[in-house]
Amino acid sequence: QGDVNTTDGRVAADQCCQAEELGGQTQPTLPRSPERRRMMRQKRDKSTGMQKRGGGLLLLALAGVLLAAPAADAEAVGMVDATSLEAAVEAHGHVLVMFTTPWCGKCRQTGSNFKWAAEQLEGVEGVGGKTVLLAFLDLDKEDNESAALLKLRFGVTTLPALLWLQQGHDAKPFDGAATANGILEWVRAKFAKPALVPGTVKLDGAGGV
């Protein structure tokens, strides 16, 4: 029995010495019981599940923000090409089209003014209840033949070129100031509903005798 006690004492002393050599930072590793391992595993699984749910909620929140935000391409200014130009004029009755290309430096400056004017005119009704359309026509997106035909048809010799297209009328070149307010006021003057002259009767949205 004395030998057994001596052995137990040496084991305890060895464990204490190991702990001192390691600066007291390492404790003797004790075997984990099955119940303890199960509890730790459940705790780890619960933490992982919460992280996944949190990430899922964050993604749903971001998706909601993106859906609520207006579309990037939902601009007041339109885009037309050789095939859609006639349909745009028919739908709106009045179209101010700006012929442009990406490499035209002056087109970029005028284009900013053009966009601003389009935003001010968005939803404004003129004769017949139709709204005016301000639209870009990028000649670089046309093939060589289509671009050449468009230039020939509308007399485009320099860029940018702005043309007023009205259903049933010949195209008219823009002759106002290419500033933001200049474009806006020019279109307003072209598109404004005519004032009634005293003694006249309003017929179908326009003035008449």
Side-chain angles (χ1 to χ4, degrees), residues 3-87:
D3 294 341
V4 172
N5 291 338
T6 302
T7 302
D8 292 342
R10 286 199 301 271
V11 172
D14 290 342
Q15 290 177 345
C16 290
C17 291
Q18 290 174 1
E20 290 176 359
E21 290 174 359
L22 296 175
Q25 297 179 356
T26 303
Q27 298 297 328
T29 303
L30 299 176
R32 295 174 180 171
S33 65
E35 179 64 19
R36 180 174 175 81
R37 288 197 298 270
R38 184 180 65 79
M39 292 178 62
M40 293 186 67
R41 185 165 55 250
Q42 289 179 346
K43 184 177 180 181
R44 183 173 61 252
D45 293 344
K46 182 178 180 181
S47 177
T48 303
M50 292 179 64
Q51 291 177 356
K52 288 182 178 180
R53 287 194 296 272
L57 291 174
L58 179 59
L59 290 175
L60 288 174
L62 289 174
V65 171
L66 291 175
L67 289 174
D73 58 351
E75 296 183 350
V77 68
M79 291 292 297
V80 295
D81 54 25
T83 59
S84 63
L85 182 57
E86 293 294 341

Side-chain angles (χ1 to χ4, degrees), residues 4 7 29 40 50-51 69 101 103 111 123 126 151 165 175 179 186 193 198:
V4 172
T7 302
T29 303
M40 293 186 67
M50 292 179 64
Q51 291 177 356
T101 59
W103 45 262
K151 290 178 181 179
L165 306 179
D175 56 2
T179 61
W186 191 90
K193 293 181 180 179

Side-chain angles (χ1 to χ4, degrees), residues 117-185:
E119 291 171 357
Q120 312 312 308
L121 293 164
E122 187 176 18
V124 177
E125 293 185 357
V127 177
K130 293 185 176 181
T131 56
V132 68
L133 173 68
L134 274 66
F136 291 115
L137 196 156
D138 188 348
L139 291 173
D140 266 13
K141 293 184 178 180
E142 305 289 335
D143 57 50
N144 292 336
E145 183 178 359
S146 295
L149 288 175
L150 284 169
K151 290 178 181 179
L152 181 63
R153 176 185 175 186
F154 294 107
V156 176
T157 56
T158 59
L159 294 177
L162 281 70
L163 291 173
W164 179 254
L165 306 179
Q166 183 175 349
Q167 192 172 14
H169 295 76
D170 293 334
K172 296 181 179 179
F174 174 85
D175 56 2
T179 61
N181 280 318
I183 295 172
L184 175 61
E185 295 306 321

